[in-house]
Amino acid sequence: MATSPAPSTGWWARLPRDTRDSLFLLGVIAAVVAPHASHLPWWSSALTGVVLAWRGLLAWRQRPLPSRWGLFGIVVIYAGMTWLTFRTLVGREAGITLLVMLMALKTLELRARRDAFVVFFLGFFLVLTQFLYSQSLLTALWSLASLWGLLAAVVLAQMPTGVPSIAIAARRAAGTTALGLPVMVLLFVLFPRIAPLWGVPTEAIGRTGLSNQLEFGAMNEVANDDSIALRLKFEGPLPPPDQRYFRGPVLTRFDGKTWRAPSPAVSQSWLRGRDDLATTGPAVRYEMTLEPLRLPVLPLLEMSPGGPGSEMALVDLTVTRGPELQWLSPRPITERLRVQASAYAGWQAGLRRNRLQQATDLELPPGLNPRSLAWARALSEQPRFAGLAAGPRAEALAAALLEHVRTNDFLYTLSPGRYGEASPHVIDEFWLDRRLGFCEHFASAFVVLMRGMGVPARIVTGFQGWDAEAQDGYQVVRNANAHAWAEFWVEGRGWVRSDPTAAVAPNRVTEGLALRPQPGVIGQLNPTLWRALRNGWETLDNRWQQLVLNYSRQNQFDLLKRLGFAQPDWAALGQALAGVILLLATASAGWIRWSSRPHDAWSRQRASIAALLARAGVPAPAHESPAAWARALRRQLGQKAEPAAQWLERLERHRYAAGSPPPAWAEFRAAARMLRA
């Protein structure tokens, strides 16, 4: 007779129970700590990895754990390094660093189940702290997986006998997690959004690279950042490519290498002036979802209405129109914003500026870039510009500069090399020697040369253009779309936008094609697949942001209206939340009571029999068999209990003897009624 082969077991199943469970717990802890590696000091991540590897080696070789005095020494060293790094032992960064250390070292002290539960709860808390740095979809999925692993470890700790499978523990943990998800969703929907407890973390935010200064040659770092800066949804047709400029910081002061925004005191003074604004034509209305910028400027599509000093109220933030027509925030924007705005293609700004105010936009650092300034003076003294009025002359000089860029061997490139290493005259080196650069090089040279020819000019930074393909109905502007252009002042017209980049790289402006670095391996092998994967993930992440991260108290009040609350407010929200908690408590009590009752057929039948016998005054202990109950019946009630006793004996034969038919349940009910009579 052939026998089936015994199931094969791998090395994992042959490990001792303690070793296997310890290695599984260490793997879960590593998954919990991994998202913090980018925020912790390098030495903290390295030391945590060493401690976990040490504990894993001890479990593998089944060696004893180190003494408490040795652990105490490690704690002292760790705390000292934390103090030297942060100069404090409290606060978010120092606190999380110490928390990671405590959980790692606690694994070297797992001598009892109580120690394991300390590790579990430290792990749960560390999962929560991940959202202090990021609330992205990837963080949420990773945290859910970490939570599942911790719950599986808890289930293993509650199964002390035998060698329970980790798969069984994982299934039970998944069931527990699934039961908690509806509660989590209800609390998310109804829990009050109370600032500042509810919001996007201020440290785990995107970086656009824009700032209140522009260093010559530094914007290539922005071009290498392909992450999303903002998303747009227009009510009507899209504006043409030459109107897709998002106005950010305006820079007027130049020290030879770095452009800076005017200081607030100078910017508000009468000497600098305030640009008046007049808009014409139809408005372009749109909704913008802005990623955190770390910049106290709100980049809106040019030209949004509102003169200097006007205010725009956003959620928990009010921005003010600055003197140079940029929207200034009282603090850096460190949360995701959704803005309803409008823009006008026709606009005129800064029409009235006296000579003293114009002089502030003519300043140049003395002694720098002499060759470029001499070149500019020679250009302005050409006969074709003689006799022109101030306004037409400024426009003609700007056109001559753009024509020079267009007809000479200038090259728009992301890798122009570093300027200013051999000489402080960076404009001379760019304009007359190398002629390699991107938007900031061309805009800087244009403004310096215009000032050298006596025309007020300044630099505007922001974004230009967006992706050719929309994502989920949104136009996507990336950090690689960061751009710098110029404005020069024309008498009778005010400030006029001029983008020298369009003269050397028309596609950059007409098609919004920002320079980008070489893609990765997938992008090089299959660019179409790479774009599809990236766009798919970004679309999914946008859904997460719109539906989850942008779920505000106004959305909560709108939900209450749909639920029948006439005047939704904080009180109505509290009533709804209290009702949900009461409903959950009632459902939990019902679940507990239902779970305490037997659910298989044999247990239900025994419970029914015991209840009927109890009514007849005959106890039926749960540990006894039906035959024992039959003997108790005959002993206490005599002959009249014979039908019920015989039925119980037939039930035992059916249950434990092969081939015996089941007795009819109606017969026992009739016999039980005779017993009560």
Side-chain angles (χ1 to χ4, degrees):
M1 180 177 180
T3 58
S4 59
S8 60
T9 58
W11 64 270
W12 179 260
R14 293 194 297 269
L15 290 176
R17 166 76 186 277
D18 291 341
T19 300
R20 187 205 62 180
D21 290 357
S22 296
L23 293 177
F24 176 75
L25 178 59
L26 291 174
V28 172
I29 292 174
V32 171
V33 174
H36 292 284
S38 60
H39 312 298
L40 296 177
W42 68 268
W43 57 264
S44 176
S45 301
L47 190 56
T48 301
V50 169
V51 170
L52 294 179
W54 182 19
R55 182 62 179 89
L57 184 62
L58 293 178
W60 182 266
R61 295 183 176 180
Q62 302 183 42
R63 298 290 179 82
L65 299 179
S67 66
R68 298 183 187 273
W69 287 108
L71 297 180
F72 179 76
I74 298 176
V75 170
V76 171
I77 295 174
Y78 209 111
M81 296 180 69
T82 303
W83 171 266
L84 292 176
T85 302
F86 300 105
R87 294 299 176 182
T88 182
L89 295 179
V90 296
R92 181 174 59 181
E93 286 75 14
I96 293 178
T97 301
L98 292 175
L99 191 64
V100 170
M101 177 269 296
L102 289 175
M103 187 171 69
L105 291 181
K106 192 64 181 177
T107 61
L108 294 172
E109 202 181 25
L110 290 176
R111 293 181 172 87
R113 189 184 302 178
R114 176 186 58 190
D115 300 321
F117 280 112
V118 172
V119 174
F120 298 150
F121 290 120
L122 286 174
F124 289 134
F125 191 78
L126 271 178
V127 170
L128 179 63
T129 58
Q130 294 176 13
F131 293 99
L132 295 176
Y133 295 99
S134 173
Q135 294 179 351
S136 66
L137 177 60
L138 186 61
T139 300
L141 294 176
W142 189 272
S143 299
L144 188 61
S146 301
L147 178 65
W148 182 19
L150 285 170
L151 287 176
V154 172
V155 172
L156 282 176
Q158 298 287 352
M159 303 169 67
T161 58
V163 187
S165 169
I166 292 180
I168 295 176
R171 285 197 297 269
R172 294 189 180 181
T176 304
T177 306
L179 290 175
L181 285 177
V183 179
M184 179 187 70
V185 172
L186 287 173
L187 291 178
F188 170 81
V189 170
L190 296 176
F191 193 85
R193 265 59 173 172
I194 303 174
L197 297 178
W198 197 275
V200 177
T202 60
E203 293 297 330
I205 57 180
R207 177 180 60 83
T208 67
L210 295 179
S211 67
N212 283 326
Q213 66 180 36
L214 177 63
E215 185 177 353
F216 202 76
M219 194 169 276
N220 62 338
E221 298 179 1
V222 186
N224 282 280
D225 185 0
D226 206 33
S227 59
I228 294 177
L230 51 95
R231 293 178 173 89
L232 305 162
K233 179 176 287 187
F234 290 87
E235 292 185 3
L238 302 180
D242 60 349
Q243 297 177 14
R244 298 172 183 178
Y245 286 84
F246 298 84
R247 191 180 189 87
V250 179
L251 313 177
T252 61
R253 296 183 298 150
F254 186 53
D255 62 5
K257 190 173 183 179
T258 303
W259 289 91
R260 292 182 172 84
S263 63
V266 174
S267 184
Q268 298 291 341
S269 68
W270 67 270
L271 181 65
R272 184 120 205 103
R274 298 162 67 87
D275 293 333
D276 53 324
L277 175 67
T279 57
T280 58
V284 176
R285 305 190 185 279
Y286 62 96
E287 176 188 277
M288 179 174 71
T289 302
L290 181 71
E291 296 298 316
L293 296 179
R294 295 181 183 267
L295 182 69
V297 177
L298 180 66
L300 294 183
L301 190 66
E302 284 189 341
M303 182 62 80
S304 55
S310 59
E311 294 183 346
M312 180 189 302
L314 307 177
V315 178
D316 299 327
L317 181 66
T318 299
V319 293
T320 306
R321 198 66 183 260
E324 291 84 11
L325 299 179
Q326 71 274 54
W327 288 98
L328 302 175
S329 170
R331 54 179 171 79
I333 298 175
T334 55
E335 64 270 358
R336 188 173 289 106
L337 294 178
R338 181 182 292 178
V339 182
Q340 301 287 340
S342 59
Y344 291 84
W347 55 274
Q348 191 176 61
L351 185 61
R352 295 180 293 274
R353 293 179 69 85
N354 57 44
R355 291 186 179 276
L356 289 177
Q357 293 168 348
Q358 295 176 33
T360 61
D361 294 310
L362 290 169
E363 294 177 351
L364 289 172
L368 294 181
N369 307 303
R371 292 191 295 144
S372 295
L373 295 180
W375 184 94
R377 285 192 297 270
L379 175 66
S380 65
E381 293 171 356
Q382 292 182 5
R384 56 176 168 159
F385 303 115
L388 294 178
R393 184 174 183 273
E395 294 179 294
L397 291 173
L401 286 181
L402 297 180
E403 182 63 23
H404 179 76
V405 172
R406 190 178 297 111
T407 56
N408 285 272
D409 54 346
F410 286 89
L411 180 63
Y412 185 61
T413 174
L414 186 62
S415 304
R418 298 188 63 87
Y419 283 92
E421 293 184 341
S423 169
H425 309 296
V426 293
I427 301 299
D428 287 351
E429 186 179 355
F430 166 72
W431 188 256
L432 300 174
D433 300 332
R434 294 169 57 185
R435 300 184 178 184
L436 302 174
F438 39 96
C439 58
E440 65 179 87
H441 299 87
F442 289 95
S444 297
F446 181 90
V447 172
V448 168
L449 294 174
M450 290 295 285
R451 289 185 176 188
M453 293 185 293
V455 180
R458 63 193 185 189
I459 283 183
V460 183
T461 59
F463 299 95
Q464 197 282 326
W466 49 67
D467 284 359
E469 298 178 0
Q471 287 187 15
D472 202 22
Y474 288 85
Q475 308 300 323
V476 175
V477 179
R478 301 182 180 276
N479 290 322
N481 290 102
H483 193 50
W485 60 95
E487 287 181 346
F488 64 96
W489 191 81
V490 177
E491 185 175 348
R493 290 187 60 188
W495 291 106
V496 177
R497 181 203 300 145
S498 180
D499 193 346
T501 303
V504 65
N507 290 344
R508 172 64 182 89
V509 176
T510 59
E511 300 179 18
L513 298 179
L515 283 177
R516 288 182 172 86
Q518 290 294 326
V521 177
I522 298 179
Q524 293 179 359
L525 295 178
N526 194 332
T528 303
L529 176 60
W530 169 249
R531 285 194 299 270
L533 292 175
R534 185 194 64 180
N535 293 343
W537 171 255
E538 289 177 345
T539 299
L540 186 62
D541 188 62
N542 180 47
R543 298 280 183 91
W544 169 263
Q545 292 177 12
Q546 300 295 334
L547 298 177
V548 178
L549 299 187
N550 287 336
Y551 185 79
S552 64
R553 56 173 173 259
Q554 185 59 47
N555 298 113
Q556 290 180 317
F557 292 159
D558 294 340
L559 176 62
L560 293 181
K561 284 184 179 179
R562 291 194 292 269
L563 293 178
F565 288 87
Q567 297 294 332
D569 52 14
W570 292 112
L573 189 61
Q575 293 172 5
L577 184 60
V580 168
I581 293 176
L582 179 61
L583 180 63
L584 291 175
T586 303
S588 299
W591 171 264
I592 292 173
R593 182 169 179 80
W594 180 82
S595 299
S596 64
R597 301 179 59 184
H599 299 292
D600 62 286
W602 174 243
S603 297
R604 289 198 302 270
Q605 188 178 40
R606 283 176 57 89
S608 299
I609 294 172
L612 291 176
L613 293 179
R615 294 178 187 176
V618 180
H623 64 278
E624 292 184 351
S625 66
W629 294 345
R631 290 192 295 270
L633 277 173
R634 292 190 179 101
R635 186 171 57 251
Q636 295 186 29
L637 300 179
Q639 186 62 32
K640 69 174 182 178
E642 190 62 28
Q646 292 179 4
W647 188 93
L648 289 173
E649 290 171 346
R650 293 201 306 272
L651 176 65
E652 179 156 318
R653 286 195 298 271
H654 165 70
R655 180 68 180 175
Y656 300 110
S660 178
W665 176 248
E667 295 179 8
F668 183 76
R669 293 182 63 88
R673 284 195 296 270
M674 292 176 58
L675 294 178
R676 290 197 301 271

